[in-house]
Amino acid sequence: MEKQTKQCQNCNKEFIITPKDFEFYNKIQVPVPSFCPSCRLERRLAFRIGQVLYKRDCDLCKNSIVSMYNKDVPFPVYCSPCWWSDKWDPMNYGADYDFEKPFFEQFKELSLKVPVYNLSVSYNTLVNSPYNNMAHGLRNCYLLTNSDYNENCNYGTEIENSKDTFDNLMLDGSQLLYESINCRKCFKIFYSIDCESSHNIYFSKNLSGCSDCFGSVGLRNKQYYIFNKEYSKEEYFAKLKEFDIGSYKSITEFRDKMKELYLNVPYKYMHSRHNTNVTGDYIYNSKDVLNSYIATESENCKYCMWLIIKPNKDCYDYTQFGENTQNMYEALVC
């Protein structure tokens, strides 16, 4: 079919459906969307729960549990061991469909009766990690969300395959990081952003293949740099001793100085590596991924977000997690 322009039934803005979009909708046998991509995303995210945790009791075993639902929700909440057990049968909540009533009205009635699990986790893959959500494969972790395959990591979101990290966002394959954002395959990174395959880095941004750098931006395969100026090994470590990085005042001053340096160094148009025909941001090792954000080893995906675990193929309007998913449409946390 030819490209069509439609008007969103929610916000009234126009959006385009391409011939390739029609191919996908025909393939999985669904009608074309009536909402624009932005409104579809808002609708999905309205159902995403996970950043806030509560103390409450399991409605089956009555034990005290940690839950993403508070005690006042109108539906039953079971702890993970109870929910996955044979102590209850979801078929007992079955009801005949009434063709005289709207579908979603009946679906809501059913959803308020059937128990839900307290946390969106694979609980049998968690070791000493009860205070986490949207996660699996954790050991000795605390207050992580949207994170997997980590050990001794605390206070973070989108932490993957990492160890010994505190207060971070978007890490993958890293160890010993503190207050850093979007670092991949890094070791001992502090107060830094967008670093890859680097170690012993402080207050830096957009470094790749670097080591022993302080307050630097946009470097590749460099060592012993301070504020983008090269030093000898001896000079570098002597200079570091002058910096009081244990002081909050000093940390604030370094951050302010780095903001000035950020404005003078060119930025790459998107965070990406090893891609073919992609648009969006934070996309890696992917092909034909359009209008998507945070995707790893994905192919033929569009309007997707947080596909943080590989691989993923042929998905539209799909938010979180990934890991061997295919032909997904309008899905959340699957």
Side-chain angles (χ1 to χ4, degrees):
M1 298 182 67
E2 296 183 355
K3 179 175 70 174
Q4 287 187 10
T5 300
K6 299 194 65 176
Q7 187 175 33
C8 176
Q9 290 185 0
N10 188 52
C11 69
N12 295 321
K13 293 182 179 179
E14 292 185 344
F15 66 100
I16 295 174
I17 300 179
T18 69
K20 192 170 183 179
D21 295 340
F22 281 115
E23 289 179 11
F24 177 81
Y25 299 136
N26 289 332
K27 175 184 176 183
I28 63 171
Q29 297 181 336
V30 297
V32 298
S34 58
F35 278 30
C36 69
S38 295
C39 289
R40 299 199 300 266
L41 175 61
E42 290 180 8
R43 182 171 58 189
R44 285 198 306 282
L45 294 182
F47 290 89
R48 185 177 182 266
I49 304 173
Q51 299 298 113
V52 179
L53 301 180
Y54 304 90
K55 274 283 193 179
R56 57 161 295 150
D57 292 339
C58 170
D59 285 320
L60 185 59
C61 69
K62 307 305 179 182
N63 290 330
S64 179
I65 60 174
V66 178
S67 173
M68 57 184 165
Y69 304 106
N70 65 41
K71 62 182 178 61
D72 297 322
V73 294
F75 44 81
V77 178
Y78 289 178
C79 65
S80 292
C82 285
W83 195 87
W84 287 100
S85 73
D86 293 328
K87 297 178 183 178
W88 66 288
D89 184 358
M91 302 300 290
N92 291 337
Y93 299 89
D96 292 330
Y97 184 74
D98 186 349
F99 288 92
E100 301 299 321
K101 296 173 60 177
F103 166 81
F104 284 108
E105 180 180 320
Q106 298 179 73
F107 184 74
K108 180 180 179 180
E109 292 174 359
L110 180 63
S111 67
L112 293 178
K113 295 177 183 178
V114 181
V116 300
Y117 45 46
N118 61 320
L119 296 170
S120 180
V121 297
S122 298
Y123 84 99
N124 58 344
T125 69
L126 306 184
V127 178
N128 189 31
S129 304
Y131 296 92
N132 303 277
N133 198 20
M134 295 183 291
H136 65 276
L138 303 183
R139 177 182 290 273
N140 303 329
C141 294
Y142 181 69
L143 288 184
L144 297 185
T145 58
N146 202 16
S147 302
D148 314 278
Y149 308 117
N150 302 301
E151 183 175 355
N152 302 330
C153 294
N154 299 266
Y155 309 111
T157 295
E158 276 178 57
I159 313 299
E160 301 292 322
N161 308 293
S162 296
K163 185 176 181 180
D164 301 318
T165 70
F166 268 67
D167 293 312
N168 298 285
L169 171 65
M170 295 177 65
L171 305 185
D172 194 355
S174 298
Q175 185 174 356
L176 291 175
L177 275 74
Y178 179 66
E179 286 217 13
S180 295
I181 300 174
N182 190 39
C183 295
R184 304 165 62 85
K185 300 178 181 178
C186 289
F187 180 77
K188 285 190 175 181
I189 308 290
F190 306 92
Y191 310 107
S192 298
I193 304 173
D194 297 341
C195 293
E196 182 175 347
S197 303
S198 299
H199 63 272
N200 298 339
I201 306 297
Y202 294 84
F203 299 99
S204 296
K205 183 173 184 178
N206 190 18
L207 304 188
S208 180
C210 296
S211 64
D212 299 296
C213 293
F214 190 101
S216 295
V217 183
L219 302 182
R220 297 293 182 268
N221 305 312
K222 300 296 184 181
Q223 188 177 27
Y224 307 130
Y225 274 69
I226 298 177
F227 300 123
N228 279 34
K229 179 181 177 181
E230 186 176 12
Y231 289 81
S232 68
K233 180 178 179 180
E234 293 75 17
E235 291 172 333
Y236 177 83
F237 287 107
K239 191 75 173 175
L240 282 190
K241 292 180 180 179
E242 301 176 8
F243 299 145
D244 183 11
I245 58 175
S247 162
Y248 177 77
K249 179 181 178 181
S250 297
I251 291 173
T252 302
E253 291 174 352
F254 288 135
R255 282 175 165 165
D256 290 341
K257 186 170 183 177
M258 287 309 302
K259 290 177 183 177
E260 297 176 6
L261 188 58
Y262 292 166
L263 298 177
N264 296 315
V265 177
Y267 280 49
K268 186 180 179 182
Y269 73 105
M270 67 181 291
H271 301 86
S272 64
R273 180 66 67 87
H274 304 303
N275 296 313
T276 302
N277 187 34
V278 303
T279 59
D281 207 357
Y282 301 103
I283 302 176
Y284 301 93
N285 305 313
S286 297
K287 179 181 179 181
D288 297 326
V289 174
L290 305 178
N291 292 17
S292 297
Y293 297 84
I294 311 174
T296 298
E297 289 199 21
S298 301
E299 183 177 354
N300 297 327
C301 296
K302 194 171 184 180
Y303 308 126
C304 292
M305 187 176 182
W306 286 319
L307 306 189
I308 55 179
I309 307 178
K310 61 185 181 184
N312 309 282
K313 187 176 182 181
D314 299 325
C315 301
Y316 269 53
D317 294 286
Y318 172 38
T319 300
Q320 201 178 350
F321 282 108
E323 192 163 30
N324 280 316
T325 55
Q326 188 170 353
N327 291 339
M328 304 288 282
Y329 179 60
E330 283 282 8
L332 174 70
V333 191
C334 297

